[in-house]
């Protein structure tokens, strides 16, 4: 049986950040990353990376310039409310859009260059013992981190149920020529039809854009309806490579048992319920899990405290905002407030893409514009 100090299941952003954090805090630790896929590989995603996610990676020693090389910054964002109100402004800091087929491979390559190990392996079973954790009777470690996505095998092994349908979204994504005049602009558009639902177009800087459409699973949406929604909300777009994926929203995030098995990223339902964003949550929770792994049998408790301290107020804010957004009139009032005030726009962006909070300033500005 092969031994490691930390086993990481999943080589995407959450798992890579976890491995990097372990090596950063414990340079002599043996970290083994297992993934069923060979890298680079594609991953269904919007591909947008908030600057706050790059900040987390930079602290872990990742060369973010190399990570995003060839993909220019996207300095503007256009948001359309469900009743048609639209705001377009520069964001406080630009985002970048990098296809996951590129991003994940580059990130894992840097982590492996920093001393972590990788094996291609499909995980089927996880056994937790008093002193260690075993995977498929082949690998063992004092601590295991499940960063294996929305369909996490590790989560199921812990007996943690999946999100309820009203706390689970589904989205379809493809690539298409960038919308006319929208190079350098991230577009997020919503609609009252099949509310809450949204579409996006994120430019890559090479004439293409990542485009997609999503809504709650509880609406009973089919693949054909996802495709129809994409065409309805982004008319004229003819995407290729359409693939669907599920998004376990943070409003359904489970309270995990403490111990030697941790979850990070999508596996812990860390998806923003307002925007479907998950890369910032993935790298942050992965980094916190990597640091917590040093606590051994107490790693789960250490990670929970760290997440509560770092993201607790934000997650409460995003959950509240998600509930308020069920009323389209409130959403449009928030967009009108963002039209009027740059600070409100910045608050909205931070709440949807990073770790912002529902501020009294933005709430008051929204209420003043109710009609």
């Amino acid at each position: 049986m092969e031994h490691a100090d930390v086993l990481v299941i999943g080589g995407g952003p959450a798992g890579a950040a976890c491995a990097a954090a372990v090596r950063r805090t414990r340079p002599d630790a043996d970290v083994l990353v297992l993934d069923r896929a060979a890298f680079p590989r594609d991953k269904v995603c919007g591909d947008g990376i908030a600057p706050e996610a790059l900040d987390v990676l930079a602290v872990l020693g990742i060369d973010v310039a190399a990570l995003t090389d060839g993909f220019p910054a996207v300095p503007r964002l256009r948001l359309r409310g469900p009743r048609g109100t639209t705001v377009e402004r520069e964001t406080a800091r630009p985002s970048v859009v990098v296809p996951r087929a590129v991003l994940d491979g580059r990130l894992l390559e840097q982590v492996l260059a920093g001393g972590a190990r990788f094996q291609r392996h499909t995980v089927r079973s996880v056994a937790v013992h008093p002193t260690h954790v075993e995977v498929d009777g082949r690998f063992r470690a004092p601590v295991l981190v499940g960063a294996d996505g929305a369909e996490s095998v590790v989560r199921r092994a812990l007996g943690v149920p999946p999100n309820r349908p009203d706390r689970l979204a589904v989205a379809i994504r493809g690539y298409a020529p960038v919308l006319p005049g929208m190079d350098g602009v991230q577009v997020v558009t919503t609609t009252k039809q099949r509310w809450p639902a949204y579409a996006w177009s994120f430019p890559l800087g090479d004439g293409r854009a990542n485009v997609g459409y999503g809504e709650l699973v509880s609406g009973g949406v089919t693949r054909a309806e996802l495709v129809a929604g994409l065409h309805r909300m982004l008319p004229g777009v003819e995407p290729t490579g359409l693939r669907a994926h599920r998004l376990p929203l943070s409003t359904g995030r489970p309270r995990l048992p403490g111990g030697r098995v941790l979850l990070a990223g999508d596996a812990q339902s860390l998806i923003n319920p307002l925007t479907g964003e998950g890369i910032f949550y993935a790298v942050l929770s992965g980094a916190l899990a990597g640091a917590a792994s040093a606590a051994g049998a107490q790693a789960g408790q250490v990670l929970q405290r760290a997440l509560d301290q770092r993201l607790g107020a934000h997650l409460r804010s995003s959950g509240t905002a998600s509930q308020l957004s069920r009323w389209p009139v409130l959403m449009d009032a928030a967009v009108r407030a963002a039209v009027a005030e740059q600070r409100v726009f910045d608050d909205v962006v931070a709440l949807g893409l990073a770790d912002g909070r529902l501020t009294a300033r933005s709430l008051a500005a929204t209420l003043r514009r109710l009609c």
Side-chain angles (χ1 to χ4, degrees):
M1 186 175 295
E2 187 166 353
H3 179 272
D5 295 315
V6 181
L7 275 174
V8 181
I9 312 303
C18 176
V22 175
R23 295 288 301 175
R24 189 77 169 175
T25 55
R26 293 186 285 158
D28 295 331
D30 179 19
V31 186
L32 176 58
V33 179
L34 302 178
D35 199 294
R36 64 183 180 181
F39 285 73
R41 57 94 177 94
D42 189 21
K43 184 75 171 179
V44 182
C45 180
D47 295 344
I49 309 170
E52 290 81 1
L54 298 177
D55 292 343
V56 174
L57 293 173
V59 170
L60 298 177
I62 299 298
D63 182 347
V64 297
L67 204 63
T68 61
D69 182 48
F71 298 92
V74 183
R76 298 183 68 83
L77 184 143
R78 173 182 287 189
L79 174 63
R80 182 184 186 275
R83 301 170 72 186
T85 306
T86 301
V87 60
E88 181 184 323
R89 287 182 178 272
E90 283 198 6
T91 53
R93 297 170 63 195
S95 297
V96 64
V97 183
V98 183
R100 292 287 297 276
V102 176
L103 176 75
D104 291 17
R106 288 179 176 180
L107 178 55
L108 184 61
E109 183 179 25
Q110 287 198 39
V111 171
L112 298 183
R117 297 188 292 130
F118 175 84
Q119 283 195 42
R120 190 174 180 183
H121 177 79
T122 299
V123 174
R124 304 191 184 281
S125 67
V126 175
V128 183
H129 300 280
T131 59
H132 65 279
V133 184
E134 292 183 7
V135 171
D136 296 335
R138 289 185 53 187
F139 308 95
R140 66 184 293 172
V143 174
L144 179 145
V145 180
D148 49 341
E151 314 300 330
S152 173
V153 174
V154 177
R155 176 169 169 156
R156 290 200 301 270
L158 288 176
V160 178
N163 282 29
R164 295 181 345 213
D166 63 336
R167 297 179 180 182
L168 181 69
V170 61
I172 197 162
R173 175 232 70 181
Y175 292 92
V178 70
L179 296 171
M182 290 295 104
D183 207 3
V185 182
Q186 287 185 291
V187 176
V188 177
T189 181
T190 61
T191 176
K192 288 194 295 183
Q193 189 172 355
R194 301 188 66 89
W195 180 259
Y198 69 103
W200 70 86
S201 174
F202 297 162
L204 301 173
D206 61 359
R208 296 179 301 148
N210 178 308
V211 298
Y213 170 85
E215 61 177 80
L216 290 176
V217 168
S218 55
V221 66
T222 65
R223 179 183 174 87
E225 288 168 333
L226 288 173
V227 175
L230 175 59
H231 287 299
R232 182 177 67 251
M233 295 177 68
L234 297 175
V237 167
E238 294 296 336
T240 59
L242 284 174
R243 293 173 59 194
H245 64 129
R246 299 201 297 175
L247 302 167
L249 306 177
S250 64
T251 47
R253 187 168 69 95
R255 188 79 181 184
L256 298 175
R260 298 181 180 276
V261 181
L262 316 179
L263 297 179
D266 292 13
Q268 198 183 153
S269 298
L270 283 172
I271 297 288
N272 193 296
L274 297 169
T275 60
E277 198 284 334
I279 293 180
F280 168 68
Y281 288 166
V283 297
L284 178 59
S285 61
L288 294 176
S293 67
Q298 302 300 313
Q301 294 92 323
V302 172
L303 175 59
Q304 191 60 60
R305 287 195 298 269
L307 280 169
D308 287 345
Q309 182 178 10
R310 182 64 178 81
L311 279 179
H314 161 73
L315 292 172
R316 289 189 291 273
S317 287
S318 63
T320 299
S322 175
Q323 291 299 314
L324 293 174
S325 73
R326 301 294 176 103
W327 287 274
V329 64
L330 281 175
M331 278 288 290
D332 262 275
V335 176
R336 282 194 294 274
V339 172
E341 299 182 48
Q342 178 73 45
R343 292 191 305 173
V344 174
F345 177 81
D346 293 340
D347 286 346
V348 170
V349 172
L351 185 60
L353 299 183
D355 56 355
R357 301 184 184 184
L358 194 60
T359 65
R361 173 180 62 209
S362 293
L363 280 172
T366 298
L367 293 175
R368 288 196 299 269
R369 288 165 177 83
L370 281 173
C371 63

